[in-house]
Amino acid sequence: MKVTAMIGSNRAESYNKQLVKYMKDRYQDKIEINILPIEKLPFYNQDEELNPPEIVKELRERIKESDAVLFATPEYNGSISGMLKNAIDWFSRVDLVLVNKPGMIVGASMGALGTVKAQLQLRQILNSRGVGVLTLPGNEVLIGSVQNKVDEQGNLTDEQTIDFLDSVVHNFVSWCDTLQK
Ligand SMILES: Cc1cc2nc3c(=O)[nH]c(=O)nc-3n(C[C@H](O)[C@H](O)[C@H](O)COP(=O)(O)O)c2cc1C
């Protein structure tokens, strides 16, 4: 199953980026994760939506070719980052490439609540008409105090978190199978 990942942080040492790389490796026998370079997208401009920049068209095609989408979100001031929102906005207009795609959400933050506010908002955004990403109820991967749960290579070390992530990926893949039938 091909999964396109959108990561809401462009910082080199991003925990969310490390998390997606960890997932790409750990679940390679179940899902093929490809990271979408959403940091290359310009700011959304409605004047350009009918004739968008090449990079928008290119990334749209990559989403179309995938079976599902993975969102890895940091929490910025109680919400998702502007970069992630910008990408979702581009993909929600004219060519509605996200509609009916199954989406999985994960998030890591240094705060105790592990992106809970950002994820609630993200679910609401994904539920918008032009976005239309399908999400599995529950299965919320909220990794708080992430700085204490990874090693120097960015691999998760916290057993409870790893077990939970395993179960969520399992649930997500099974759910995607039922959607395709
Ligand atoms: C602008 C900004 C706002 C932030 N706001 C929150 C917040 O609301 N809640 C939280 O838990 N962490 C917050 N943080 C800390 C982030 O959780 C932390 O920087 C985290 O490492 C960001 O994800 P990344 O490692 O993937 O870049 C904020 C960080 C920045 C830069």
Side-chain angles (χ1 to χ4, degrees), residues 6 36-61 63 82-98 125 130-131:
M6 291 189 221
L36 207 63
I38 59 171
E39 69 281 0
K40 291 187 181 164
L41 290 168
F43 280 132
Y44 175 78
N45 181 343
Q46 196 176 355
D47 292 336
E48 294 177 6
E49 69 178 16
L50 294 177
N51 189 17
E54 273 311 307
I55 184 74
V56 174
K57 295 185 200 164
E58 203 183 296
L59 299 196
R60 278 178 179 161
E61 288 310 308
I63 293 174
M83 192 175 81
L84 180 56
K85 181 66 164 54
N86 185 56
I88 295 171
D89 289 342
W90 272 118
F91 303 139
S92 71
R93 298 280 294 182
V94 184
D95 196 2
L96 309 185
V97 292
L98 288 170
I125 293 163
V131 185

Side-chain angles (χ1 to χ4, degrees), residues 103 123 134-140 164 168 171-172 175:
R123 280 185 187 250
L134 309 174
T135 52
L136 191 56
N139 292 275
E140 288 155 337
F164 184 64
V168 171
N171 294 343
F172 184 71
W175 176 61

Side-chain angles (χ1 to χ4, degrees), residues 16 19 71 73-75 104-123 138-146 149 156 158 160-162 164-165 168:
N16 285 283
L19 175 61
F71 297 90
T73 183
E75 186 166 282
M104 178 176 167
I105 303 171
V106 298
S109 78
M110 295 172 78
L113 301 180
T115 74
V116 67
K117 291 182 193 170
Q119 290 201 29
L120 285 171
Q121 293 190 17
L122 181 55
R123 280 185 187 250
N139 292 275
E140 288 155 337
V141 181
L142 306 161
I143 307 181
S145 305
V146 63
K149 295 176 181 164
L156 278 176
D158 184 71
Q160 221 179 332
T161 305
I162 296 169
F164 184 64
L165 189 59
V168 171

Side-chain angles (χ1 to χ4, degrees), residues 64-76:
K64 280 183 200 169
E65 286 161 13
S66 66
D67 303 298
V69 184
L70 169 66
F71 297 90
T73 183
E75 186 166 282
Y76 279 7

Side-chain angles (χ1 to χ4, degrees), residues 7-11 13-18 72-79 108-117 146-147:
I7 305 167
S9 172
N10 54 356
R11 126 187 136 81
E13 302 295 319
S14 159
Y15 288 114
N16 285 283
K17 212 181 278 179
Q18 291 176 9
T73 183
E75 186 166 282
Y76 279 7
N77 298 315
S79 186
S109 78
M110 295 172 78
L113 301 180
T115 74
V116 67
K117 291 182 193 170
V146 63
Q147 67 278 15

